[in-house]
Structure formats: C-alpha cells, structure tokens
Amino acid sequence: NGVVALSQKSKAKVIMFSVVPKLYWQLNIWDRFSIAKPFTRIDMYASEPIDLSEMGHEEARSLIKEKLLLHDY
C-alpha cells in the first residue's frame, strides 16, 4: 500500500528488483529466506518503470502483487 500511495502522490514510476543467487542456503522458516553463499554468482533483474499515477489504488496494488509473485520482469 505504501509504495502505491507514494508513487501516485509523487507521480514517480515504480521499478521492481529481484536478486537470484546461483548457490545459497535456504532457511527453514515461513518465508524460506535465502542467504547467498560466498563467491557465488548473483543475477539481478529489474522491471521496466511502471507508471501507477493513472490507476486506482486497488488496481495498482494488484498489478504490483501479480508482478512480484510471477517475477514477470
């Protein structure tokens, strides 16, 4: 909600980032947090800038949630 509100009020575009290590340890907790192993390759992905200023709050929130879950960037 905060990202959508800030983006719409400031008319700034949103860019989503994903960081994927090649080798990692995965913790056995609810969010399966990963820690990159030393000296491993890390791939970084970024989305195109998304303009949320013309969308409704719920529409923008749904779009961000969908893109984050699908890693569609």
Side-chain angles (χ1 to χ4, degrees):
N1 288 331
V3 169
V4 172
L6 287 171
S7 173
Q8 290 178 334
K9 287 182 182 183
S10 67
K11 302 211 185 309
K13 295 181 181 178
V14 174
I15 299 175
M16 293 180 277
F17 291 92
S18 178
V19 178
V20 182
K22 183 170 177 145
L23 300 173
Y24 56 89
W25 293 288
Q26 192 168 51
L27 301 181
N28 192 18
I29 57 176
W30 68 274
D31 64 352
R32 300 182 334 163
F33 185 76
S34 298
I35 301 170
K37 290 187 177 183
F39 308 107
T40 192
R41 186 177 108 191
I42 297 177
D43 295 326
M44 295 180 64
Y45 302 95
S47 72
E48 293 294 323
I50 302 170
D51 186 6
L52 303 176
S53 62
E54 300 297 321
M55 295 182 185
H57 185 79
E58 279 303 312
E59 180 185 6
R61 195 176 71 77
S62 295
L63 176 66
I64 289 176
K65 181 179 179 182
E66 176 185 321
K67 288 200 174 277
L68 286 173
L69 291 175
L70 293 176
H71 299 285
D72 186 21
Y73 43 92

